Amino acid sequence: METLRSIEWKVGGQQGEGVDSTGEILTKTLFRYGYYVTTYRQFMSRIKGGHTNYKLRATAERTRYHGDFTDILLCFDKETLEVNRHELRPGGIVIMEEKEQDIREEDGLLMASFPLKKLATELGNPLAKNMIALGITGGLISLPKEEFFSFIEEQFAKKGETVIQSNKAAVEKGYELVEQYLSNYVRRLEKMEKGDRLYISGNEATAFGSFMAGCRFLSAYPITPASEIMEWMSANLPKVGGTIMQVEDEIAGITFAIGAAYGGARAMTSTSGPGLALKTEALGLAAMSETPVVIVDSQRGGPSTGLPTKHEQSDLNHLLFGSHGDAPRIVLYPSSVEDAFYVAAEAFNLAEQYQCPVYIALDLALSMNRTTIPSLDAKRVKINRGKLVGAEEAKKLGEFIFKRYRFTEDGISPRVLPGTEGGVHTASSNEHGEDGYISEDITNRSRMVEKRMKKILPARLSTPFYISDGDADVILLGAGSTRGVLEETQAKLKEDGIRVGVLMIQQLNPLPVEELKPYLLGKKVISVENNYSGQLLNWVKQHLPIHGSSFLITQYDGNPFTVSRVYHEVKELL
């Protein structure tokens, strides 16, 4: 019997048919079996109907990409086979829901049809067809059925013993079908050692990192693919006295957060592209009033409502430039799920140290898809509230009106919270003097603009970019979720004897120009981006003279890159 150390599996059907839950059960079972898992969900922007699928890749070694191929495809409808057939690996297996049983080989594939719903009905639970299908999958890879059973017992504990036994019987049925009809196609997925790991999405990691950094207020409006951040916070913030507000719109989302931050709470709001556009005016308020606030933008296909449930990286220009006037902001973009945790935690420090809005950019592939990561290190989370002045220090100044916007050498003014003795002050969205009162004095105006714009220049994440093999003459440049694809492309090229480096920028603004120079100047730079115009490369070219040595690979069809495509396009450019 062939032994496997990895498997790529996909389930598809109509939205509302339990596709996601089916995928999650197998993913969590394999995670517990010791495998690193990466997932990707394709779904329509509707409550029910339309093709949806869930991709799982389980590997012995860690990966950050869900894979190009499929070894086993589970089809709950005919459309699933039509849409996903091209991904099937030679020798792949297709399990189909059909009225009649049929086992045959076709074009190098095993096509196995079973009347899953009918079989489930005979077991007394028509809803358990998905569990039969999971049993078939488990039988095909020799996964001990007890692995499913322990998960079922936990998953359905609140629904009672009858439901548990019903689902176990359905899984058993799947194993029986394999034994009876597919025994010649059984392979063995090698058991792995379990490690100290987490199974978590980028959204969950971002929310968790914010929580650990002391964020105690979130106001937001539900929007795909960012809503999971609000859901995670609503489950956990109240446990520590924090507050979450599901507000009436995106404008309220950011203005409530600004108000909470002004009052002294570490506060954030989360959204996606259309919501980001609505929040833009208030971004200026935070910049002008020098109020620290964190804004998460989980990107999806745009513009307008665009592709609400599809992947894209096309909000960078808005994050970097969106606002009227010169509005300083720090823009961060984690390149992995674990970095989403650490970057989110640091974002609150940067917001308070530099008294400005901080954006955290995510993208759908990074936001919504869970993966295995090493256990997170809470000791790395440090809290720095910047120039926050207490009552004693404020009183020593002896000012009747505290100069909230006083000019300082580094441009950062001492900050005092409302209600602090000796800290009476005015904050304004209009241009103002050091005391906060409105001022149109031309000298003051110029100095205030310079103060706000220059103060953020020294801001640095502890890891502003990730670099692998930076000495290579060719650098693959990217941001966000493309890291997994670029790393695997790098490894594939290495097998061909071709050396390339991978550089993922995690701090887009202020761009760490001097630190990046050794890795980009004099190199062939190939930027790989999920947008039409090459927004990342254009931003880098504004700071570094790489115009004659840089190239662009883009994709904007709503899907992440595949390794195959990037590999072939990079080879053409070399």
Side-chain angles (χ1 to χ4, degrees):
M1 182 186 298
E2 183 184 358
T3 299
L4 306 173
R5 286 175 59 84
S6 66
I7 184 106
E8 294 183 45
W9 176 91
K10 180 180 276 190
V11 56
Q14 290 297 300
Q15 198 144 292
E17 207 170 3
V19 169
D20 270 7
S21 58
T22 304
E24 278 289 287
I25 290 172
L26 182 60
T27 302
K28 289 178 180 175
T29 302
L30 291 173
F31 171 70
R32 291 180 177 197
Y33 201 52
Y35 276 82
Y36 289 94
V37 293
T38 50
T39 63
Y40 190 79
R41 289 183 283 166
Q42 290 267 16
F43 56 102
M44 299 287 187
S45 55
R46 62 188 77 162
I47 302 300
K48 191 169 183 178
H51 175 70
T52 181
N53 64 61
Y54 181 110
K55 173 75 186 296
L56 155 67
R57 185 185 188 197
T59 52
E61 287 79 31
R62 187 178 176 204
T63 64
R64 294 184 176 84
Y65 173 55
H66 56 273
D68 284 8
F69 303 104
T70 301
D71 297 302
I72 299 176
L73 177 63
L74 176 56
C75 307
F76 288 143
D77 63 1
K78 294 187 186 303
E79 188 178 1
T80 297
L81 182 58
E82 295 168 7
V83 172
N84 300 284
R85 186 168 184 142
H86 68 284
E87 287 182 7
L88 280 161
R89 209 187 294 272
I93 299 173
V94 180
I95 309 298
M96 292 179 287
E97 157 91 79
E98 293 282 5
K99 290 183 179 177
E100 302 296 333
Q101 185 171 309
D102 181 36
I103 313 290
R104 67 182 189 281
E105 293 192 6
E106 179 182 301
D107 299 332
L109 303 171
L110 170 66
M111 315 293 282
S113 301
F114 295 101
L116 298 174
K117 190 170 182 179
K118 180 183 173 189
L119 292 170
T121 304
E122 290 171 358
L123 290 172
N125 183 3
L127 299 177
K129 71 169 189 176
N130 298 18
M131 301 305 284
I132 297 176
L134 284 176
I136 296 172
T137 298
L140 285 169
I141 57 176
S142 302
L143 186 67
K145 64 184 77 168
E146 290 73 21
E147 298 287 339
F148 279 123
F149 290 169
S150 63
F151 185 82
I152 287 170
E153 288 169 3
E154 291 177 27
Q155 186 79 1
F156 300 106
K158 291 182 180 177
K159 296 189 175 181
E161 192 60 24
T162 303
V163 174
I164 290 173
Q165 293 305 323
S166 168
N167 281 286
K168 282 185 176 179
V171 170
E172 287 265 21
K173 184 65 181 177
Y175 277 83
E176 289 172 13
L177 292 172
V178 172
E179 193 174 326
Q180 290 173 358
Y181 304 107
L182 303 174
S183 58
N184 291 337
Y185 302 94
V186 172
R187 290 171 280 182
R188 187 175 71 86
L189 190 65
E190 188 177 341
K191 182 171 176 55
M192 294 293 152
E193 291 294 323
K194 297 177 183 177
D196 188 11
R197 304 164 189 160
L198 297 175
Y199 172 61
I200 188 171
S201 72
N203 277 337
E204 291 166 337
T206 301
F208 189 21
S210 302
F211 179 88
M212 292 301 292
C215 176
R216 293 296 179 265
F217 183 88
L218 179 138
S219 51
Y221 186 78
I223 186 169
T224 302
S227 294
E228 285 176 346
I229 294 172
M230 186 164 63
E231 291 163 9
W232 193 98
M233 284 297 208
S234 66
N236 292 285
L237 269 187
K239 296 175 185 175
V240 293
T243 299
I244 174 169
M245 294 182 67
Q246 180 175 324
V247 291
E248 67 270 27
D249 59 28
E250 298 284 358
I251 298 170
I254 187 170
T255 48
F256 269 109
I258 291 171
Y262 175 70
R266 286 197 151 188
M268 68 185 292
T269 184
S270 55
T271 191
S272 188
L276 180 70
L278 290 169
K279 291 182 189 297
T280 302
E281 181 184 356
L283 172 94
L285 168 62
M288 177 62 99
S289 63
E290 303 194 43
T291 305
V293 65
V294 173
I295 307 148
V296 182
D297 173 39
S298 180
Q299 301 169 84
R300 66 190 203 187
S304 189
T305 43
L307 295 172
T309 59
K310 302 297 181 186
H311 173 77
E312 206 162 83
Q313 298 177 310
S314 55
D315 290 351
L316 301 191
N317 284 342
H318 195 116
L319 292 164
L320 292 165
F321 304 110
S323 180
H324 53 290
D326 292 308
R329 82 290 305 270
I330 295 170
V331 183
L332 312 175
Y333 198 163
S335 64
S336 67
V337 170
E338 63 266 41
D339 273 338
F341 173 85
Y342 297 116
V343 167
E346 280 194 68
F348 288 86
N349 286 347
L350 293 172
E352 293 202 311
Q353 286 177 270
Y354 295 94
Q355 299 176 19
C356 68
V358 175
Y359 280 130
I360 301 174
L362 302 174
D363 52 55
L364 186 142
L366 181 60
S367 285
M368 296 195 67
N369 297 293
R370 293 189 175 91
T371 188
T372 304
I373 63 169
S375 187
L376 297 166
D377 182 6
K379 292 180 181 175
R380 281 180 55 183
V381 179
K382 309 292 183 187
I383 293 180
N384 182 343
R385 304 210 65 177
K387 291 184 178 180
L388 186 59
V389 173
E392 194 171 326
E393 193 175 348
K395 281 192 292 184
K396 281 183 184 175
L397 294 172
E399 297 170 347
F400 181 70
I401 298 296
F402 182 82
K403 291 182 179 177
R404 168 66 185 93
Y405 302 106
R406 78 185 65 229
F407 293 112
T408 61
E409 192 171 332
D410 61 6
I412 302 170
S413 307
R415 182 168 68 108
V416 68
L417 300 182
T420 301
E421 189 175 355
V424 174
H425 67 280
T426 295
S428 176
S429 65
N430 282 62
E431 189 57 275
H432 43 258
E434 288 182 284
D435 55 9
Y437 283 96
I438 294 173
S439 169
E440 295 183 6
D441 177 83
I442 57 173
T443 301
N444 174 75
R445 163 66 177 177
S446 297
R447 291 187 69 190
M448 279 292 174
V449 170
E450 290 161 7
K451 161 185 156 59
R452 290 191 293 267
M453 295 304 294
K454 291 180 179 178
K455 69 177 179 179
I456 68 166
L457 296 180
R460 287 292 181 278
L461 266 178
S462 58
T463 310
F465 56 87
Y466 162 82
I467 181 75
S468 167
D469 203 354
D471 292 336
D473 292 332
V474 178
I475 296 293
L476 306 183
L477 178 69
S481 64
T482 53
R483 177 171 170 178
V485 171
L486 297 189
E487 285 179 330
E488 295 198 23
T489 301
Q490 180 188 37
K492 198 170 167 63
L493 289 167
K494 189 176 180 182
E495 291 174 1
D496 297 342
I498 300 171
R499 185 182 171 200
V500 300
V502 170
L503 196 157
M504 307 299 299
I505 297 181
Q506 298 203 123
Q507 179 174 316
L508 292 172
N509 192 58
L511 193 69
V513 177
E514 292 303 317
E515 297 95 315
L516 288 171
K517 280 181 178 176
Y519 304 111
L520 295 177
L521 294 184
K523 307 286 185 73
K524 178 177 278 189
V525 178
I526 302 174
S527 190
V528 182
E529 308 179 33
N530 283 117
N531 60 64
Y532 176 81
S533 54
Q535 296 180 15
L536 175 65
L537 182 59
N538 287 337
W539 177 240
V540 174
K541 286 197 294 189
Q542 287 186 38
H543 296 80
L544 290 168
I546 58 172
H547 301 69
S549 57
S550 56
F551 303 86
L552 191 58
I553 298 175
T554 61
Q555 182 169 307
Y556 35 86
D557 62 359
N559 295 305
F561 285 102
T562 60
V563 172
S564 303
R565 183 184 166 200
V566 176
Y567 167 79
H568 289 295
E569 293 212 20
V570 169
K571 286 197 82 169
E572 287 179 9
L573 290 170
L574 294 178

